[in-house]
C-alpha cells in the first residue's frame, strides 16, 4: 500500500516549526537594528540600516536553504528512495532585489508615515526573502529529482485566501504546466508556481514516486468551498473564494474578525 503524504503531515509540521524558529531569530535581530534608522535623518541613516538588514537576510536565508535541503533528503529517505540525489541550497536573492524591498518599506516615511509601520513592512519583506530561499531549494530539488513526482503547498489554518486556494489544489506543482495549463482555469504561468507574499508562512511538501498525496481535512474543505462558490467564474474566482471563506470557513481569514 502506498504511503500517504499530506499538507498537514509530519513533514509540513516540521518545516513550519523550523521556519517559525528561524523567523523568530530574524525578527529579534532586525529589531536590534532599529536604532540605526532615524526618521529625521533618513537619507543619512537608511544606507547603513539597509546594509545591516541585507546581511541578516543573507545569513538567515542561507540557514533556511540548508534546512530545506536537509528536510528534502529526510523526506526522500522516508519515501524509501534509494537512488542518490544531490540537493543544492538555493542562492541568496540579488542585492538589488533585497534593497528594493527594504526601500519600499521605507516609502511611507518619506510620505509622512511612521517609523513603526516601516519596520513592520520591512520585517514582512525580509521574512519572505529568507523563507523563499528555503522554498526555492525545495522547488529546485523537486524539479531536478526524477524520483520526485510533484509538490504540494501547505498553508496555515489562518492563511489568506490566495494561500488557501493554492493549498487546496494538492500535489500538482512541479512545472508551470502541471500547476496551471494542465490543471484548470484557476491559474496559468510560472507565477502560479512560485508566488508567495510578505508574511507568508506557507511551506512546500514534496511527493515522491510510490507515495500518495491526500489533502488534509481543512484543505479539502477549502477545495469544496472553491468548487461550490467560485469555480466557473473566470476572473472572479479569488474574490468569490475569499467571500466563501469569510462566510463558511471555520478558520477565519486575517483581518476578517
Amino acid at each position: 500500500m502506498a504511503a500517504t503524504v499530506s499538507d498537514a503531515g509530519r513533514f509540513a509540521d516540521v518545516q513550519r516549526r523550523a521556519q517559525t524558529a528561524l523567523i523568530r531569530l530574524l525578527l529579534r535581530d532586525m529589531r536590534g537594528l532599529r536604532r540605526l534608522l532615524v526618521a529625521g535623518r533618513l537619507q543619512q541613516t537608511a544606507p547603513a540600516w539597509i546594509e545591516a538588514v541585507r546581511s541578516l537576510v543573507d545569513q538567515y536565508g542561507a540557514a533556511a536553504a540548508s534546512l530545506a535541503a536537509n528536510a528534502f533528503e529526510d523526506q526522500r529517505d522516508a519515501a524509501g528512495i534509494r537512488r542518490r540525489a544531490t540537493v543544492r541550497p538555493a542562492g541568496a536573492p540579488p542585492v538589488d532585489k533585497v534593497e528594493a524591498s527594504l526601500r519600499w518599506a521605507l516609502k511611507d516615511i518619506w510620505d509622512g508615515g511612521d517609523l513603526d509601520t516601516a519596520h513592520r513592512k520591512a520585517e514582512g519583506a525580509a521574512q519572505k526573502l529568507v523563507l523563499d530561499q528555503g522554498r526555492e531549494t525545495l522547488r529546485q530539488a523537486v524539479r531536478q529529482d526524477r524520483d520526485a513526482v510533484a509538490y504540494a503547498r501547505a498553508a496555515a489554518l489562518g492563511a489568506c485566501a490566495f494561500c488557501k486556494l493554492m493549498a487546496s489544489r494538492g500535489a500538482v506543482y512541479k512545472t508551470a504546466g502541471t500547476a496551471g495549463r494542465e490543471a484548470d482555469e484557476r491559474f496559468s504561468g510560472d507565477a502560479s508556481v512560485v508566488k508567495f507574499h510578505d508574511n507568508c508562512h506557507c511551506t512546500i511538501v514534496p511527493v515522491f514516486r510510490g507515495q500518495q498525496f491526500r489533502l488534509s481535512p481543512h484543505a479539502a474543505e477549502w477545495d469544496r468551498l472553491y468548487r461550490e462558490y467560485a469555480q466557473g467564474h473566470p476572473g472572479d474566482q479569488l474574490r468569490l473564494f475569499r467571500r466563501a471563506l469569510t462566510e463558511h470557513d471555520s478558520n477565519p481569514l486575517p483581518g476578517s474578525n
Side-chain angles (χ1 to χ4, degrees):
M1 183 176 179
T4 300
V5 183
S6 172
D7 58 287
R10 186 185 67 84
F11 181 86
D13 183 57
V14 169
Q15 273 293 97
R16 187 171 289 113
R17 283 191 279 112
Q19 288 184 170
T20 299
L22 201 62
I23 294 307
R24 186 179 297 118
L25 294 174
L26 168 71
L27 297 183
R28 177 203 66 186
D29 290 351
M30 283 188 69
R31 286 161 189 168
L33 298 176
R34 287 188 172 193
R35 56 183 174 76
L36 297 178
L37 196 61
V38 181
R41 299 177 54 243
L42 201 59
Q43 191 166 358
Q44 294 79 15
T45 60
W49 174 80
I50 289 173
E51 179 61 25
V53 173
R54 189 175 66 79
S55 178
L56 290 180
V57 168
D58 287 350
Q59 173 190 340
Y60 284 105
S66 179
L67 285 169
N70 292 336
F72 183 85
E73 291 175 348
D74 290 344
Q75 178 79 342
R76 203 172 185 274
D77 290 342
I81 306 299
R82 298 289 173 254
R83 196 193 329 263
R84 298 192 60 163
T86 300
V87 182
R88 295 181 175 83
V95 172
D96 58 350
K97 180 179 180 180
V98 179
E99 292 187 352
S101 295
L102 297 176
R103 291 190 181 280
W104 164 82
L106 299 180
K107 182 178 180 297
D108 284 349
I109 302 178
W110 293 108
D111 296 337
D114 65 275
L115 203 55
D116 286 341
T117 299
H119 281 303
R120 284 195 297 273
K121 286 185 175 181
E123 289 170 0
Q127 172 184 310
K128 178 182 183 299
L129 290 164
V130 165
L131 295 186
D132 275 355
Q133 282 188 242
R135 292 183 286 233
E136 181 61 17
T137 297
L138 290 169
R139 287 185 60 252
Q140 289 178 5
V142 169
R143 189 169 59 243
Q144 295 166 6
D145 189 343
R146 56 180 169 170
D147 290 305
V149 177
Y151 68 84
R153 181 171 179 144
L157 293 178
C160 70
F162 176 82
C163 291
K164 288 181 176 180
L165 179 56
M166 300 303 95
S168 76
R169 303 195 62 230
V172 300
Y173 301 102
K174 182 163 184 172
T175 67
T178 57
R181 289 188 289 272
E182 296 170 10
D184 56 31
E185 77 279 9
R186 294 190 219 190
F187 283 27
S188 63
D190 290 342
S192 64
V193 187
V194 301
K195 193 169 184 180
F196 298 94
H197 57 80
D198 291 358
N199 297 304
C200 180
H201 299 283
C202 289
T203 190
I204 284 172
V205 180
V207 181
F208 295 93
R209 203 175 307 280
Q211 292 182 322
Q212 177 182 0
F213 181 82
R214 181 175 298 164
L215 285 174
S216 62
H218 55 263
E221 176 65 4
W222 298 336
D223 183 55
R224 184 192 71 79
L225 290 174
Y226 170 80
R227 294 180 187 281
E228 182 172 348
Y229 294 100
Q231 191 174 37
H233 299 275
D236 206 23
Q237 297 102 316
L238 186 57
R239 184 188 68 82
L240 293 173
F241 180 63
R242 184 182 294 111
R243 187 169 73 182
L245 289 172
T246 300
E247 295 176 354
H248 304 288
D249 190 17
S250 59
N251 302 288
L253 290 171
S256 64
N257 292 332

